[in-house]
Amino acid sequence: RCVACDTIAVLGDEAAEAVPQLAAALKEKEVGAHAAQALGRMSKAAAGAVKELAAALQQKETRSLAALALGRIGEPALKELSAAAEDKDADIRVEAVLALWVVGKAALPALMKALSDKEVEVRLNAVASIGKLVEEAKPAVVALARLVKEDKS
């Protein structure tokens, strides 16, 4: 089953008809990461699996790949990624912040909010993600300047 998921991943959005099966496989410890990777390769074609990918953020085995898949889906997954960036679990917040830059400019408000996170790793990754947005990041300059001035970590 893992190899089937990996093959679907290679096919990318050409295998969009497999989204429901991949979404269901996200719950399985052995196959979940492979399913998340395949969904990530489908980008927007995997939008039907946003709810399941968001739930997969709670599983350590699938967290990174599920977050990346949500980022690649883009704006249809922005609500879920933004919520994950405020999760009580710092590891989930880090993965969400890392994936938000893939969404693009629409993710900037969530990234700017993450600049105030209590965990330094979340803040650092928010800065890095904003930096990857380059032109779109201009509205974040004030918040970044505040970090330079006030953040001692």
Side-chain angles (χ1 to χ4, degrees), residues 50 70-71 73-85 96 99-111:
V50 167
L70 288 166
I73 290 170
E75 290 191 35
L78 182 56
K79 177 181 171 189
E80 288 77 4
L81 270 178
S82 296
L100 277 165
W101 80 268
V102 181
V103 175
K105 185 177 182 175
L108 198 52
L111 289 170

Side-chain angles (χ1 to χ4, degrees), residues 108-126:
L108 198 52
L111 289 170
M112 289 174 58
K113 191 169 189 176
L115 293 173
S116 300
D117 196 277
K118 64 183 176 181
E119 296 292 331
V120 68
E121 190 174 359
V122 175
R123 293 192 309 272
L124 288 172
N125 284 296

Side-chain angles (χ1 to χ4, degrees), residues 28-136:
E28 300 178 36
K29 201 170 204 167
E30 190 175 302
V31 183
H34 296 269
Q37 182 176 23
L39 290 165
R41 295 267 176 94
M42 290 181 188
S43 299
K44 292 194 185 335
V50 167
K51 185 174 99 175
E52 292 87 349
L53 284 164
L57 293 172
Q58 301 299 321
Q59 300 165 222
K60 191 174 185 174
E61 300 81 16
T62 56
R63 183 173 296 147
S64 294
L65 290 167
L68 182 58
L70 288 166
R72 288 180 173 165
I73 290 170
E75 290 191 35
L78 182 56
K79 177 181 171 189
E80 288 77 4
L81 270 178
S82 296
E86 297 181 37
D87 195 273
K88 67 182 184 312
D89 184 326
D91 292 334
I92 293 173
R93 294 194 312 272
V94 167
E95 294 298 340
V97 166
L98 287 169
L100 277 165
W101 80 268
V102 181
V103 175
K105 185 177 182 175
L108 198 52
L111 289 170
M112 289 174 58
K113 191 169 189 176
L115 293 173
S116 300
D117 196 277
K118 64 183 176 181
E119 296 292 331
V120 68
E121 190 174 359
V122 175
R123 293 192 309 272
L124 288 172
N125 284 296
V127 170
S129 292
I130 289 169
K132 291 176 184 176
L133 293 174
V134 188
E135 279 301 310
E136 293 98 343

Side-chain angles (χ1 to χ4, degrees), residues 5-50:
C5 288
D6 294 344
T7 302
I8 291 169
V10 171
L11 296 171
D13 60 2
E14 296 293 320
E17 64 210 39
V19 168
Q21 293 81 7
L22 292 169
L26 287 168
K27 297 175 187 171
E28 300 178 36
K29 201 170 204 167
E30 190 175 302
V31 183
H34 296 269
Q37 182 176 23
L39 290 165
R41 295 267 176 94
M42 290 181 188
S43 299
K44 292 194 185 335
V50 167

